Amino acid sequence: MTRKDVESLFKTHYTQMYHLALTLLFDEAESKDVVSEVFASLISGKTMMRTDNAKAFLMASVYHRCLNVLQHRQVQERFARLLTVDADTLIGGNLVEEQMQMEELMRYVQDNLSPMEQNVFRLRYLREMTCQEVAEALDVSRQTVHTHLKQTVEKIRKYFNSNSKAI
């Protein structure tokens, strides 16, 4: 598929694709990113498209990318809950306990995770990079980043649950 073909598809279907993404994500910037990623994938040749029903393919691509974004949000929320100190602790002024928990988490990360898991963890949660940015920084696929994040969160959860400590 040539760049001109992709431009033609963009002009024809962008608005519908964007509205689908916006309906699913409720976020204008993320919706634009999702649609842009679909076209970038076509231009780069990473995705091959049959031309018999371009609209259906493009809409399905947007839909599936939106599902990936929503799934990523769930992972982020679960991890944020792992790292969140409950309100009673903060209201009670027990910031020392919070600091100790964070130090224990960082010790666990350093001592028990593979170098790749450590890098993914630090870039994603400490530097607050997106999964795509982490993937580009480490020269790996976005799926690899998601896999390492999932494994890392599971390891952390298992460790802290088995040691009766909550983060």
Side-chain angles (χ1 to χ4, degrees):
M1 177 166 282
T2 67
R3 187 175 190 89
K4 190 169 188 129
D5 293 335
V6 174
E7 287 176 9
S8 175
L9 290 171
F10 179 87
K11 289 175 185 175
T12 305
H13 301 290
Y14 177 85
T15 303
Q16 289 176 304
M17 295 167 67
Y18 171 73
H19 286 293
L20 173 61
L22 188 58
T23 299
L24 295 169
L25 300 176
F26 301 104
D27 184 290
E28 290 180 12
E30 268 187 328
S31 297
K32 289 176 182 177
D33 288 346
V34 163
V35 175
S36 295
E37 287 173 10
V38 169
F39 287 109
S41 181
L42 288 172
I43 289 172
S44 70
K46 290 180 183 178
T47 302
M48 301 304 291
M49 181 180 78
R50 292 180 18 203
T51 57
D52 58 341
N53 195 347
K55 180 181 177 182
F57 175 85
L58 293 171
M59 297 300 276
S61 295
V62 167
Y63 176 78
H64 289 288
R65 285 183 188 264
C66 288
L67 292 181
N68 289 341
V69 168
L70 293 170
Q71 183 181 24
H72 176 69
R73 281 184 190 170
Q74 288 176 336
V75 169
Q76 285 180 303
E77 290 168 6
R78 285 192 308 246
F79 192 77
R81 282 193 302 267
L82 277 174
L83 296 178
T84 302
V85 178
D86 66 21
D88 293 337
T89 302
L90 289 176
I91 292 170
N94 201 343
L95 296 176
V96 172
E97 183 178 331
E98 176 186 358
Q99 180 65 31
M100 289 173 52
Q101 289 174 337
M102 188 57 78
E103 288 173 6
E104 183 176 0
L105 171 64
M106 295 314 297
R107 267 193 312 275
Y108 177 81
V109 166
Q110 183 174 347
D111 296 342
N112 297 287
L113 301 181
S114 72
M116 177 61 89
E117 290 170 330
Q118 289 181 40
N119 286 335
V120 169
F121 176 85
R122 286 188 175 108
L123 292 174
R124 179 66 191 100
Y125 293 108
L126 301 181
R127 292 197 183 166
E128 298 181 356
M129 295 171 75
T130 66
C131 286
Q132 185 63 42
E133 291 169 336
V134 173
E136 290 169 5
L138 299 176
D139 195 28
V140 298
S141 72
R142 194 168 162 186
Q143 183 59 46
T144 299
V145 171
H146 284 286
T147 300
H148 283 293
L149 286 174
K150 182 178 178 183
Q151 291 170 349
T152 299
V153 169
E154 288 302 317
K155 286 179 181 180
I156 291 169
R157 180 181 291 133
K158 184 176 180 181
Y159 172 76
F160 283 96
N161 284 340
S162 69
N163 290 314
S164 300
K165 296 186 180 188
I167 287 192

